[in-house]
Structure formats: C-alpha cells, structure tokens
Amino acid sequence: MPFRTWGVVLSAVLLGGCFGVNTSQAPIATTYPTSEQQRMQAAQHWEVLAEHEAGEILAKRDLWGKPLYVEEPEQETAFSRGFRSLLTSELVEQGAIVRTQPDDGAAHVSFDVQVINHEGRGFVRPPQGALTALAAGIAVATIPFNHWTEPALGLIPAAALADTFSGSWTTTGQLETIITTQVSQYDTLRYSSSNMYYINAGDSNHYGASDTGDSAGLPLSSDW
C-alpha cells in the first residue's frame, strides 16, 4: 500500500478517536433500549386492566379478607364509569368482599387518570421488522412483471405478507394516559399501581380530556 494511502488511513483513525475526547456544550441526545407499550382502544381493554388490578389487589396479604369499597370518581367520564363497574365486577368475581356504601372498616379503592399530550415528539422508530416486510412486499409485487403473465397475481403474496404482520403494527401517536389504581385504609396506602397506554386522539375525551387538548375534569398535561 502506498505511503500516501497509509497516511490517509492513519489520519482517519486519529480523527475518529477525537470524537471520544472532544467536549460538548450540551448533553448529546441518545435513546432508550427498544420497549413496548400497549394501545388502549376498546372497552375490552378496560376489562383486561380491571381484571389485572383486581388480581393484584387481592394478592396483597394485608388486604386478605378485608372488605373493599370502590370509590366513585370526582368527575364521571366514559372510562371512569366503565372502569369502576368492571373493577367492581372483577373484585366480586375473584372473591372479594365489596361494600356498596362507604364503610370505616373497609379499604377504599380509587383510581386516577392523567392524559399526556406530546406536542413536540420527534422521530419514533417504526415497529421492528416493518421496513423489512414492506421491502419484501414490494419485491414480491414486482415478480409478475418479470416471470408471470398476469401482473395482478403479485398482489396475492404481497397481501398475505401484509396480513401476517399488520395485526401487530400500530402508530405511536401523541397521546398517552397513565392510570393509577390505589387502595388506602386509615390514611395509609395498601396498594398502588400505575399503567401507561397509548390512546387514539379521538378517544381522549373518554379519559377526561377534550378533543382540543383542554382538561375536562381529569388533568391533562403536556409534561412528561
């Protein structure tokens, strides 16, 4: 290898090493490891959450055998009304003693909903494998133009590929909700659980936020 070529390679290596020692006027943005978060978009999803919370509440040893009262929310929304009914049903079905009226001897079950609107969210990576599947679908669709007599036949394998993966794909969106369920007794928290979900923009009023982004009973925040 000529001396000049070696010089260019060595300079590139030295310059690459400088990136590790140079300073910056502000922290460099990085990302979190890939994680998953579910999208809540059906009443059946509320039932799944209610079933989960009821099971976790009854698994707490200091709540075994104690009567429970599910508090009415301060502001009634589609979610608060539905979730209270579903949670009550799940508690009864799983063997809990549920009071119909407030009782000093009962532990009080409550839940809180916060809607978050990310107005300045940047690029979010598409679902893993989405680009590969898209490229494969395009490649399959071009086969008829080269080998088959009927180009429309290329849509069949491409559609089958889309059917295979489309059920697991969903948009990230700008709106999220944090749903916190708590059980308290004698001014002491016996149980607290928070779950985060993406929600559809058109469903934000179900959780107490108007379509315009203003709060309606339950708090709406643009902070994370």
Side-chain angles (χ1 to χ4, degrees):
M1 184 181 291
F3 178 78
R4 182 177 296 178
T5 303
W6 277 110
V8 172
V9 172
L10 181 60
S11 298
V13 172
L14 292 175
L15 288 173
C18 291
F19 287 106
V21 297
N22 280 345
T23 58
S24 175
Q25 292 81 7
I28 298 175
T30 185
T31 59
Y32 287 93
T34 302
S35 59
E36 296 180 349
Q37 181 170 294
Q38 294 175 316
R39 176 176 295 277
M40 185 172 280
Q41 52 185 356
Q44 196 268 342
H45 297 164
W46 302 349
E47 183 182 27
V48 171
L49 177 59
E51 181 180 2
H52 167 76
E53 292 294 357
E56 292 296 311
I57 290 171
L58 296 180
K60 295 288 290 183
R61 181 168 299 181
D62 55 353
L63 292 174
W64 287 357
K66 291 187 177 179
L68 303 172
Y69 173 71
V70 183
E71 295 183 352
E72 295 185 5
E74 294 182 2
Q75 179 71 26
E76 185 176 278
T77 63
F79 173 80
S80 66
R81 182 177 180 181
F83 186 66
R84 182 175 186 266
S85 298
L86 291 168
L87 183 58
T88 301
S89 297
E90 288 295 337
L91 287 169
V92 172
E93 185 174 343
Q94 296 185 35
I97 303 171
V98 180
R99 301 291 195 215
T100 58
Q101 297 294 329
D103 187 337
D104 292 337
H108 285 227
V109 182
S110 62
F111 56 91
D112 178 73
V113 182
Q114 181 183 8
V115 177
I116 303 168
N117 183 11
H118 299 279
E119 297 180 355
R121 172 167 280 172
F123 171 77
V124 178
R125 176 182 173 175
Q128 188 172 3
L131 298 181
T132 303
L134 177 62
I138 295 174
V140 169
T142 62
I143 292 177
F145 294 97
N146 301 320
H147 302 285
W148 298 354
T149 58
E150 178 54 58
L153 294 176
L155 297 177
I156 297 176
L161 186 68
D163 283 339
T164 302
F165 294 98
S166 61
S168 61
W169 293 349
T170 183
T171 57
T172 300
Q174 304 291 335
L175 289 173
E176 294 179 280
T177 183
I178 302 176
I179 303 170
T180 300
T181 305
Q182 296 181 330
V183 181
S184 61
Q185 187 178 34
Y186 307 127
D187 298 324
T188 302
L189 276 178
R190 303 293 185 183
Y191 173 83
S192 183
S193 171
S194 295
N195 295 275
M196 293 168 286
Y197 301 92
Y198 287 116
I199 59 173
N200 298 324
D203 295 341
S204 61
N205 59 326
H206 294 344
Y207 303 90
S210 67
D211 292 334
T212 59
D214 300 324
S215 61
L218 298 177
L220 171 65
S221 172
S222 59
D223 299 329
W224 176 246

